[in-house]
């Protein structure tokens, strides 16, 4: 072997070349950070081992002798599930001393390489996003060398040298989180400039680079359904917006009954779908929380109790009216044909000796409000004739009813009543019970978002849900009418959010049939 002679180089020219390379790398780094949709930036610590002519190509690697720390920064751009384009700038210190200590080299190596990385977590060999993701990497670039070598009893410093560089190797990525990975690699570098170790031979010198670093995702992992769980880990990638999910991205179901907590009326108790997730011990379709006879199969209209069960029915309330009987014959004046003359009831209150011709059939007035039962719409409840013998609905009651309907809300785009509405529905229930002779009309309205047919169907289904709730609380279904009008009867403009909110409403009306 012979030692490389000292050469004179233009330091300024090489320095300017290095500055250009660094500028290109930094420019690409800024462009990458601004526009990368699926990429990573890496920060690495390195160590190197010399493989060259000074040790006669014995390749004494993994002995970790004469180590000198270095570092680097890298960009990883997504090309496909298997391939990444990697751009890496590193500084490495390469040192070696022959066993007889008669020759040594100490070099500073600045490298800028562009490489292709083939990852095994591509969905074919390993699943995408695997915890351990091995890879191969190969490429080339530019190397800037500055070295000092010792031989024949003296030190010689070589000028700066710029050359090409080939590199290949492998490693593994270890996923720490969705946005952070540990990268461990070994790559073999071969600067094409041969004399940097002070020895000129036919084949180039090389060094082995050991690297460990962190890869940081520049943007959060893709999350198409917006549930906070990245697509790679999301087992339910199409979860509806606003749904609470578990760590796998699937809707929560704490009681394991197959009904998600958002739709489960009893999220902590196992129950069937037909009762919206609530227990139903007797299997009659009425959940135990609403079933007055939870251990006996019954009817929904009887709150879960069977028809054979004795049920107390409170008699209708009516206002007593004083009975007038001027002649004291036991026949009230309004039915006494001779109110001022004593007579038996069999003769309609007239004396037997009195000749009378009775052609009318006596008519009954059960509540004593002046209207006979055949003309009274509320024959057992006192009310004025102007309202067909029924009690008039007070203005205060109408205001209470209107206020209560404003508090009835449904799940978005569903006919499911929100639990916050139950308080107001119970207020509606108490008002309906105050007027037992009145029928109830439930009217549903929507805004203009969606088609006419869909909005009519949605409003109809929502009113049926309200009707079923009232029936479950003891109101006879024969008193209830449920109608969906969709978007056909707006009370405000649909061009603003406030107006659309006003149009999404429930109206409840008491009326006489």
């Amino acid at each position: 072997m012979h030692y490389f002679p000292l050469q004179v180089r233009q330091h300024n020219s090489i320095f300017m070349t290095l500055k250009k390379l660094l500028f290109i790398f930094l420019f690409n780094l800024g462009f990458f950070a601004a526009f990368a949709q699926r990429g990573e930036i890496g920060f690495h610590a390195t160590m190197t081992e010399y493989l060259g002519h000074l040790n006669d190509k014995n390749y004494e690697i993994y002995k970790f002798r004469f180590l000198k720390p270095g570092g680097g920064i890298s960009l990883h751009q997504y090309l496909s599930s298997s391939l990444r384009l990697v751009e890496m700038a590193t500084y490495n210190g390469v040192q070696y001393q022959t066993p007889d200590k008669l020759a040594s080299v100490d070099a500073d190596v600045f490298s800028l390489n562009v490489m292709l990385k083939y990852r095994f977590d591509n969905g074919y060999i390993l699943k995408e996003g695997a915890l351990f993701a091995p890879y191969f990497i190969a490429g080339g670039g530019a190397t800037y060398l500055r070295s000092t070598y010792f031989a024949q009893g003296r030190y010689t410093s070589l000028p700066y040298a710029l050359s090409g560089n080939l590199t290949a190797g492998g490693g593994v990525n270890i996923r720490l989180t969705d946005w952070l990975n540990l990268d461990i690699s070994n790559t073999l570098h071969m600067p094409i400039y041969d004399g940097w170790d002070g020895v000129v031979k036919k084949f180039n010198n090389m060094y082995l680079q050991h690297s460990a670093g962190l890869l940081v995702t520049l943007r959060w992992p893709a999350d198409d359904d917006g549930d906070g769980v990245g697509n790679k880990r999301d087992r339910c990638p199409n979860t509806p917006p606003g749904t609470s999910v578990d760590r796998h991205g699937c809707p929560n179901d704490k009681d394991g009954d197959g009904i998600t907590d958002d739709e489960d009326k009893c999220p902590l108790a196992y129950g069937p779908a037909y009762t919206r997730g609530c227990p139903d011990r007797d299997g009659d379709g009425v959940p135990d929380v609403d079933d007055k006879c939870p251990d006996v199969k019954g009817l929904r209209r009887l709150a879960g109790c069977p028809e054979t069960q004795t049920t107390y029915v409170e008699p209708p309330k009516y206002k007593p009216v004083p009975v007038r009987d001027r002649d004291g014959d036991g026949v009230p004046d309004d039915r006494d044909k001779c109110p001022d003359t004593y007579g038996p009831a069999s003769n309609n209150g007239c004396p037997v000796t009195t000749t009378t011709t009775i052609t009318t059939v006596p008519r009954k007035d059960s509540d004593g409000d002046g209207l006979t039962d055949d003309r009274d719409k509320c024959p057992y409840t006192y009310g004025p004739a102007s309202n067909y013998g029924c009690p008039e609905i007070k203005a205060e009651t109408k205001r209470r009813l209107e206020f209560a309907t404003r508090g009835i809300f449904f799940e978005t785009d569903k006919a499911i009543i929100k639990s916050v509405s139950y308080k107001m529905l119970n207020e509606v229930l108490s008002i309906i019970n105050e007027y037992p002779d009145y029928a109830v009309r439930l009217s549903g309205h929507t805004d203009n978002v969606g088609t006419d047919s869909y909005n009519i169907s949605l409003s109809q289904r929502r009113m049926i849900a309200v009707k079923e709730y009232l029936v479950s609380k003891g109101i006879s279904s024969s008193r209830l009418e449920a109608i969906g009008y969709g978007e056909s009867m707006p009370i405000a403009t649909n061009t603003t959010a406030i107006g659309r909110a006003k149009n999404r409403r429930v109206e409840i009306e008491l009326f006489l049939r």
Side-chain angles (χ1 to χ4, degrees):
M1 69 175 64
H2 64 277
Y3 295 103
F4 194 88
L6 185 63
Q7 298 182 5
V8 179
R9 299 180 182 274
Q10 297 294 328
H11 292 257
N12 290 338
S13 175
I14 295 175
F15 183 68
M16 292 301 295
T17 302
L18 180 60
K19 286 178 63 177
K20 291 179 181 178
L21 289 174
L22 290 175
F23 174 77
I24 292 172
F25 180 79
L26 292 174
F27 175 80
N28 196 29
L29 173 61
F31 180 85
F32 177 82
F35 297 100
Q37 293 297 323
R38 299 181 67 177
E40 299 166 306
I41 183 169
F43 303 93
H44 308 266
T46 63
M47 292 286 188
T48 54
E49 291 189 82
Y50 172 78
L51 302 171
H53 300 300
L54 287 180
N55 62 7
D56 293 325
K57 297 283 185 171
N58 287 327
Y59 304 113
E60 297 176 356
I61 60 176
Y62 299 108
K63 297 293 181 65
F64 300 105
R65 295 185 297 172
F66 311 110
L67 294 178
K68 190 174 181 179
I73 184 171
S74 62
L75 306 176
H76 302 249
Q77 294 167 270
Y78 181 93
L79 299 181
S80 70
S81 60
S82 299
L83 294 178
R84 305 290 190 275
L85 179 65
V86 180
E87 299 162 11
M88 188 169 186
T90 61
Y91 161 76
N92 292 290
V94 181
Q95 293 180 323
Y96 181 75
Q97 186 180 55
T98 59
D100 57 14
K101 300 183 180 180
L102 296 178
S104 65
V105 64
D106 186 353
D108 293 323
V109 183
F110 302 88
S111 296
L112 178 60
N113 295 296
V114 178
M115 300 167 284
L116 276 179
K117 177 195 285 187
Y118 182 87
R119 292 178 57 133
F120 288 85
D121 61 331
N122 51 15
Y124 304 104
I125 302 174
L126 299 174
K127 68 177 182 179
E128 289 192 56
L131 180 62
F132 293 93
Y135 64 83
F136 289 133
I137 191 167
T143 297
Y144 191 57
L145 299 114
R146 181 182 62 187
S147 61
T148 299
Y149 66 89
F150 175 80
Q152 297 178 353
R154 65 190 181 92
Y155 289 94
T156 303
S157 295
L158 288 177
Y160 294 96
L162 180 66
S163 75
N165 181 66
L166 298 177
T167 181
V172 61
N173 283 157
I174 303 173
R175 180 168 57 83
L176 302 179
T177 69
D178 283 340
W179 56 271
L180 186 66
N181 290 270
L182 175 63
D183 179 78
I184 301 174
S185 67
N186 280 283
T187 51
L188 188 64
H189 293 258
M190 185 174 68
I192 298 175
Y193 170 52
D194 184 63
W196 58 273
D197 62 349
V199 181
V200 176
K201 269 196 168 184
K202 185 176 181 180
F203 298 103
N204 293 58
N205 300 298
M206 296 177 288
Y207 63 91
L208 181 66
Q209 176 182 284
H210 310 287
S211 174
L214 292 175
L215 302 183
V216 182
T217 303
L218 292 184
R219 295 194 177 184
W220 291 100
D223 181 14
D224 293 340
D225 56 8
D227 59 3
V229 181
N231 290 347
K232 289 184 179 180
R233 295 193 299 111
D234 200 333
R235 297 180 184 175
C236 303
N238 299 313
T239 305
T243 304
S244 61
V245 298
D246 58 21
R247 61 189 180 90
H248 301 297
C250 293
N252 282 315
D253 181 14
K254 296 186 182 70
D255 54 13
D257 58 6
I259 303 171
T260 62
D261 292 350
D262 291 340
E263 298 183 357
D264 199 328
K265 190 176 178 183
C266 304
L268 301 178
Y270 188 94
Y274 63 82
T275 57
R276 290 180 56 195
C278 288
D280 180 19
R281 295 199 299 270
D282 55 14
D284 60 2
V286 181
D288 292 347
V289 293
D290 300 324
D291 199 331
K292 293 182 178 179
C293 305
D295 297 308
V296 180
K297 194 169 185 177
L299 303 176
R300 183 182 294 275
R301 62 184 177 84
L302 297 178
C305 294
E307 285 186 316
T308 55
Q309 182 166 325
T310 303
T311 304
Y312 173 75
V313 180
E314 185 178 355
K317 298 179 180 179
Y318 58 90
K319 184 178 179 180
V321 179
V323 178
R324 297 190 62 186
D325 182 15
R326 293 198 298 273
D327 55 10
D329 56 4
V331 180
D333 290 352
D334 58 337
R335 288 186 286 124
D336 196 332
K337 299 298 182 180
C338 305
D340 296 312
T341 307
Y342 187 91
S346 59
N347 201 35
N348 296 313
C350 292
V352 177
T353 57
T354 302
T355 303
T356 58
T357 303
I358 301 174
T359 58
T360 60
V361 177
R363 290 176 292 178
K364 189 177 181 181
D365 179 14
S366 300
D367 54 11
D369 58 4
L371 283 178
T372 56
D373 292 355
D374 59 322
R375 294 188 298 122
D376 197 329
K377 289 190 175 183
C378 304
Y380 300 104
T381 307
Y382 186 89
S386 59
N387 198 39
Y388 307 102
C390 293
E392 293 181 333
I393 300 176
K394 300 176 182 178
E396 177 187 353
T397 303
K398 293 181 180 179
R399 287 193 297 269
R400 284 172 55 204
L401 187 59
E402 181 182 358
F403 177 78
T405 57
R406 296 177 188 172
I408 301 174
F409 302 102
F410 301 87
E411 298 287 347
T412 303
D413 208 29
K414 298 178 182 178
I416 298 175
I417 303 171
K418 289 188 174 181
S419 58
V420 296
S421 308
Y422 295 150
K423 181 178 180 180
M424 289 304 174
L425 281 172
N426 291 335
E427 174 70 6
V428 171
L429 184 69
S430 66
I431 294 173
I432 294 175
N433 285 329
E434 291 176 12
Y435 296 89
D437 299 297
Y438 278 78
V440 184
R441 182 176 293 116
L442 309 172
S443 304
H445 304 271
T446 68
D447 56 25
N448 67 343
V449 178
T451 63
D452 292 348
S453 59
Y454 179 80
N455 287 334
I456 290 176
S457 173
L458 177 61
S459 59
Q460 180 68 40
R461 287 185 285 114
R462 285 179 170 178
M463 292 308 97
I464 291 175
V466 174
K467 178 179 178 180
E468 290 179 349
Y469 180 86
L470 295 176
V471 169
S472 72
K473 296 299 182 180
I475 302 299
S476 172
S477 61
S478 62
R479 295 180 58 193
L480 302 172
E481 293 182 5
I483 306 173
Y485 292 98
E487 61 185 81
S488 62
M489 301 174 66
I491 59 173
T493 178
N494 276 308
T495 59
T496 65
I498 296 176
R500 290 192 295 272
K502 290 182 178 179
N503 290 332
R504 296 190 297 268
R505 67 194 190 278
V506 174
E507 295 180 351
I508 299 179
E509 176 189 2
L510 299 176
F511 68 97
L512 295 170
R513 287 176 174 166

